[in-house]
Amino acid sequence: MIISVLKEIKKDEGRVAASPSAVRELCAHGHTVLIERNAGLLSGFSNEQYAAAGAEIVDVKEAYERADMVYKVKEILPKEYPYMRRGLIVFTYIHSNGSREQTDVCLEAGVTGIAYEDVIDRAGKFPMLRPMSEIAGKGGFLAACEYAKSTNGGRGRLYAKIDGLSAPRVTIIGAGCVGIGAAELAAGCGNMVSLVDVDYYSLEHAKMKLGPNVEFVQSNQENIERLVKQTDLLINCILWPKWRTDHLVSRELVRQMKDDAMIVDVACDEGGAIETCRCTYHSDPTYTEEGVLHYCVGNIPGAYPRDASVALCNSTLPYALAIADKGVVRALSEDAGLRRGLCFYQGQLTLEETGRKQDRPYISPERALGLE
Ligand SMILES: NC(=O)c1ccc[n+]([C@@H]2O[C@H](COP(=O)([O-])OP(=O)(O)OC[C@H]3O[C@@H](n4cnc5c(N)ncnc54)[C@H](O)[C@@H]3O)[C@@H](O)[C@H]2O)c1
């Protein structure tokens, strides 16, 4: 198979889908790998490293035109639409439910789209989301440390234990991959961490990973109100259901936070769990609302392209190899978890969530592939 690795064109995106060592693996399996010139530069990988690993360095046109499969990070953007064609396999984060236009283009062109974010592993977890979540959680805590500095417009707080001072209180809502990532760093710096979740098993799992300066709290309105009022740093790591019109942390509660408190919304959940949150970019990441500094960057891993690329590639490569070695139909037939990621096939929508959200017809991946 000819596999093309593209340079990402989305704002603030420095990740690349394949590292040079992944290219070596793909080539060792007998595949041809084309790398768009400079695709890896922001992740610290030069064209020469890719060439030494066995890739051909090409321009974007050649990369798309010769590819059997494009191996990417972000969704398909308007500049890339003209390259979509029947049978082309697009393996990337697609988020088809978020873009009607992208869905139209991919269905009309007849591409085969397999979305990283919808693939599940044998444990029912999302293997291609997990590494980015960990980086986002850790990066979210580090961002709080950075923007709490007075030199960066913050209130001059250091989220760490300092002799003679009370340890700062950090409240983290959600004990999933993001929340545990944030809690590991917050606890490691000696903060008094409260990790809040609705799910008993998530808290039990988190307990095994975290030290004695972390308390595990059931999520309910009383506990949230008590913790939010006394916390120095509030980190949101849950996505609030879109249908809910209330909030876990209301504007009124934000108003009652400590004078020098800060909010980080890693879930970047606009008007969701925290009423005052709205998405920001790395170029202008913070704003103040109700007297509280907010940081709500939607693609935190984008600030750590080197490590994020390697971590993402570690989780995507086994699937890319399966698709390339076996072909789409066999790879998806043999792995129900990978099949779950199929969102477009021969002009048909195969992702129920997008069908419902965009009010379009859809069929199951099994039916599209002729397995039922
Ligand atoms: N900003 C970024 O760069 C970035 C990167 C990765 C993920 N994210 C986002 O971060 C969020 C969390 O991701 P994750 O991988 O940790 O998800 P996850 O599913 O692993 O964890 C979410 C946790 O929240 C808990 N939860 C749900 N409702 C709750 C409530 N009312 N109170 C307390 N806890 C509750 C769940 O039980 C679960 O343990 C998602 O919205 C994801 O899209 C953002």
Side-chain angles (χ1 to χ4, degrees):
M1 198 178 261
I2 300 180
I3 300 158
S4 288
V5 178
L6 279 305
K7 181 168 165 47
E8 298 303 324
I9 54 174
K10 189 161 182 169
K11 184 171 158 45
D12 292 338
E13 185 54 70
R15 287 174 292 175
V16 64
S19 63
S21 85
V23 168
R24 184 153 298 170
E25 283 302 305
L26 289 162
C27 292
H29 281 239
H31 304 296
T32 298
V33 182
L34 310 181
I35 301 275
E36 185 183 343
R37 187 167 289 104
N38 299 336
L41 281 191
L42 292 175
S43 291
F45 303 128
S46 66
N47 296 327
E48 291 70 28
Q49 284 173 291
Y50 281 115
E56 287 179 47
I57 312 299
V58 299
D59 64 21
V60 60
K61 189 165 179 288
E62 185 173 352
Y64 268 109
E65 286 179 356
R66 286 177 59 198
D68 296 306
M69 170 162 78
V70 292
Y71 188 17
K72 270 176 57 62
V73 178
K74 297 305 286 186
E75 59 272 23
I76 305 296
L77 295 178
K79 267 191 171 171
E80 298 166 307
Y81 291 166
Y83 297 117
M84 296 299 104
R85 61 180 150 81
R86 194 161 192 85
L88 177 69
I89 303 165
V90 177
F91 187 45
T92 189
Y93 288 120
I94 297 180
H95 298 294
S96 56
N97 59 356
S99 167
R100 181 172 278 279
E101 188 181 76
Q102 178 191 221
T103 301
D104 282 337
V105 169
C106 290
L107 290 176
E108 202 168 304
V111 302
T112 298
I114 303 169
Y116 292 170
E117 68 274 13
D118 292 307
V119 174
I120 53 170
D121 61 18
R122 267 170 294 183
K125 305 268 184 204
F126 296 90
M128 294 183 256
L129 288 178
R130 199 184 305 137
M132 295 307 101
S133 290
E134 184 181 355
I135 291 175
K138 293 194 157 121
F141 174 74
L142 292 175
C145 296
E146 191 59 23
Y147 291 98
K149 287 178 178 171
S150 64
T151 44
N152 283 338
R155 301 283 169 81
R157 297 297 315 270
L158 177 59
Y159 300 119
K161 172 88 185 79
I162 298 159
D163 281 347
L165 275 70
S166 304
R169 287 182 170 273
V170 177
T171 301
I172 299 172
I173 305 178
C177 303
V178 171
I180 290 178
E184 279 176 338
L185 286 198
C189 289
N191 296 285
M192 296 271 292
V193 178
S194 302
L195 187 57
V196 186
D197 205 293
V198 273
D199 181 48
Y200 172 80
Y201 293 100
S202 297
L203 290 174
E204 284 296 302
H205 171 70
K207 260 184 210 169
M208 290 190 280
K209 299 192 125 200
L210 295 161
N213 53 332
V214 183
E215 62 166 357
F216 300 88
V217 182
Q218 185 64 31
S219 181
N220 59 42
Q221 207 51 49
E222 190 175 313
N223 284 339
I224 296 275
E225 278 175 22
R226 176 178 53 80
L227 289 169
V228 168
K229 284 181 195 167
Q230 66 187 25
T231 202
D232 296 292
L233 171 61
L234 173 64
I235 306 181
N236 177 46
C237 308
I238 68 157
L239 197 60
W240 194 234
K242 291 281 168 241
W243 53 268
R244 289 194 64 158
T245 50
D246 59 339
H247 308 277
L248 199 57
V249 178
S250 66
R251 179 174 290 278
E252 178 51 34
L253 187 54
V254 171
R255 212 173 281 144
Q256 294 174 54
M257 289 177 76
K258 288 165 81 171
D259 281 349
D260 55 4
M262 180 173 179
I263 293 177
V264 170
D265 190 355
V266 182
C268 193
D269 192 13
E270 200 148 331
I274 300 179
E275 188 174 1
T276 48
C277 285
R278 57 172 195 267
C279 291
T280 58
Y281 292 97
H282 288 293
S283 49
D284 188 13
T286 58
Y287 62 92
T288 299
E289 189 111 1
E290 303 299 347
V292 177
L293 185 65
H294 290 58
Y295 173 97
C296 311
V297 171
N299 67 331
I300 294 173
Y304 303 95
R306 174 70 181 231
D307 289 336
S309 293
V310 175
L312 179 61
C313 182
N314 286 343
S315 63
T316 59
L317 184 62
Y319 294 104
L321 279 169
I323 297 165
D325 290 351
K326 300 174 182 177
V328 159
V329 175
R330 205 182 120 208
L332 270 60
S333 304
E334 290 179 3
D335 183 343
L338 178 59
R339 192 158 71 235
R340 194 182 180 280
L342 186 70
C343 53
F344 312 121
Y345 190 66
Q346 296 181 343
Q348 291 177 303
L349 180 66
T350 50
L351 197 68
E352 179 178 343
E353 190 189 334
T354 301
R356 287 183 182 277
K357 182 149 182 219
Q358 298 179 359
D359 197 19
R360 298 171 182 270
Y362 60 90
I363 60 170
S364 69
E366 288 72 20
R367 220 173 116 209
L369 294 165
L371 303 177
E372 62 177 29

